[in-house]
Amino acid sequence: MEKIIVANWKANLTPEKAMQWCDAFTAALQSHRGIEIVLAVPALCLERIHEKTKTIAGLSLAAQGVSPYPQGNYTGALPAAWLRGLAKYTLIGHRERRRYFHESVQDVAKQVSEALAEDLQPIVCVDRDLLMQQTALLSTEEMDRILWAFTPETTVALEMTRNKEDISAMVALIAKRTRNRPVLYGGGVTAENSGAIWGISGVAGLMLGQECLDAQAFAALVNQLAQQDKQ
């Protein structure tokens, strides 16, 4: 499996800014063989960004979330079925969804089920405290199709996990609990520390938030990590 770098735009880029971001990013991007770039795009932008980027090798899209319900009478929902052909992945259980939108471990489990039913690859975000609760609600079949992301929940936890040994230990714990599924790391990743985290054994990729909003800087980070893998 290729290593993955997820750029989670969150709700920072308008559709027009998102299109400009793609132009600047592709102009600055160099060869990134062995790395899959995943853009986690707001639902309003998905179709336009898909058309903009579909010919770029090694680049995929992710929805930033998905409804725990199928198509039907669910006002404001984003059913997984609507994402077929647009996104390869979907983020699920991001700490901001859990914190601000009060999504529970049960909600996340339902979202996983809906995503997998439509052949979307879930990237399920957990921290240390949620790992046991979240995995307990998923079937073996579901677990075998999920990617995981270790995303520390609090500022204090984030500061603690900037230690490489702590990140390595938590990633190993998640892998053990999830039948050795790939584990990404997302939390305070910057251009300065990305190389060190990228090189930690067991880390299958990175998830960036604020650090991906500057398209040229993000392209430089990808270029840097691709070069690091060649060494």
Side-chain angles (χ1 to χ4, degrees):
M1 171 183 163
E2 293 180 320
K3 277 196 165 184
I4 295 174
I5 301 177
V6 180
N8 182 10
W9 292 352
K10 307 186 182 184
N12 287 294
L13 301 179
T14 65
E16 292 73 23
K17 290 289 187 182
M19 297 293 278
Q20 294 168 12
W21 188 101
C22 289
D23 287 335
F25 177 68
T26 53
L29 183 65
Q30 300 171 4
S31 173
H32 57 281
R33 184 175 299 176
I35 297 175
E36 182 178 12
I37 301 164
V38 179
L39 306 182
V41 177
L44 185 62
C45 301
L46 266 171
E47 190 167 7
R48 293 175 65 183
I49 299 302
H50 176 262
E51 288 301 311
K52 186 82 168 174
T53 62
K54 63 183 180 182
T55 61
I56 302 175
L59 189 147
S60 304
L61 300 187
Q64 292 184 0
V66 68
S67 174
Y69 303 106
Q71 299 181 78
N73 297 332
Y74 304 102
T75 300
L78 179 63
W82 294 2
L83 297 170
R84 273 186 176 269
L86 292 177
K88 177 180 177 181
Y89 299 93
T90 180
L91 303 184
I92 296 179
H94 191 280
R95 61 177 175 268
E96 291 163 359
R97 296 295 307 180
R98 296 183 192 261
R99 182 185 305 164
Y100 302 125
F101 297 89
H102 308 292
E103 290 182 352
S104 66
V105 289
Q106 290 83 6
D107 293 328
V108 168
K110 290 178 182 177
Q111 290 166 15
V112 167
S113 179
E114 288 296 316
L116 291 175
E118 299 298 337
D119 293 325
L120 284 173
Q121 174 81 72
I123 301 175
V124 179
C125 304
V126 290
D127 68 356
R128 188 182 301 271
D129 294 338
L130 283 172
L131 177 61
M132 299 297 286
Q133 300 174 56
Q134 194 61 74
T135 54
L137 293 175
L138 300 168
S139 69
T140 299
E141 292 76 16
E142 289 172 332
M143 294 270 279
D144 286 343
R145 298 173 64 191
I146 293 171
L147 301 184
W148 294 83
F150 171 37
T151 54
E153 178 65 22
T154 66
T155 302
V156 172
L158 181 58
E159 290 296 332
M160 290 174 61
T161 56
R162 287 203 171 120
N163 180 289
K164 288 174 59 178
E165 287 72 25
D166 288 340
I167 295 174
S168 179
M170 189 60 196
V171 166
L173 178 63
I174 295 173
K176 181 178 180 181
R177 178 66 182 173
T178 61
R179 298 165 54 89
N180 292 313
R181 293 298 297 160
V183 183
L184 314 181
Y185 175 77
V189 179
T190 66
E192 288 72 30
N193 65 20
S194 59
I197 299 172
W198 184 258
I200 295 174
S201 177
V203 171
L206 302 176
M207 183 184 299
L208 288 82
Q210 193 67 32
E211 288 290 311
C212 74
L213 298 180
D214 182 319
Q216 292 181 324
F218 179 62
L221 185 148
V222 175
N223 296 340
Q224 170 190 318
L225 295 179
Q227 186 62 39
Q228 177 176 319
D229 282 348
K230 293 177 182 178
Q231 297 174 353

